[in-house]
Amino acid sequence: MNLFERVKGFADAKKMSINEVEEHLGLSKNVLYKWKTQIPNGKVISMVADYFGTTTDYLLGRTDNPAIIASAEEDFADFPSAQTETELRSALENVMSFDGEAITENDKDAIIAFMLGRKGL
């Protein structure tokens, strides 16, 4: 599917014409129809992606997944966080390295420093 076909699919799903989409976005008439043969600027692609709740990568055919991927902060928003270095050290007791060996004390120190730094403590 090309860029125009993907936009048309979203418009059809909303039971809208391409001209109605252009009107809602404040675009000139037939701007989206030109996408059949021309690549628009990034600002307009981004505006259309935001309007339909998808990504510019999907519209451009770089991925077949139209869903917006949550940021890492959103992914871990409900993840319980350790409050102290002691809790972090305890949590790291059973962590193994890539080769199945326990991680070193230096690795634990680095992980703890990173975690505490990210929390702003």
Side-chain angles (χ1 to χ4, degrees), residues 68-79:
I68 295 175
I69 298 171
S71 70
E73 285 184 11
E74 291 170 346
D75 283 346
F76 295 106
D78 296 328
F79 191 75

Side-chain angles (χ1 to χ4, degrees), residues 27-85:
L27 299 172
S28 301
K29 193 171 183 175
N30 295 324
V31 165
L32 297 179
Y33 281 107
K34 291 179 184 175
W35 290 11
K36 290 179 181 181
T37 58
Q38 299 174 2
I39 300 294
N41 70 42
K43 184 177 179 181
V44 178
I45 296 172
S46 182
M47 185 183 348
V48 172
D50 290 345
Y51 181 75
F52 287 119
T54 191
T55 64
T56 55
D57 281 345
Y58 176 75
L59 292 180
L60 292 169
R62 293 180 180 166
T63 180
D64 289 328
N65 182 359
I68 295 175
I69 298 171
S71 70
E73 285 184 11
E74 291 170 346
D75 283 346
F76 295 106
D78 296 328
F79 191 75
S81 61
Q83 300 299 313
T84 66
E85 182 176 340

Side-chain angles (χ1 to χ4, degrees), residues 84-85 88-89 92 107-117:
T84 66
E85 182 176 340
L88 287 169
R89 198 162 293 286
L92 290 172
D107 288 342
K108 289 178 187 177
D109 291 342
I111 292 168
I112 289 168
F114 174 77
M115 294 299 290
L116 293 176

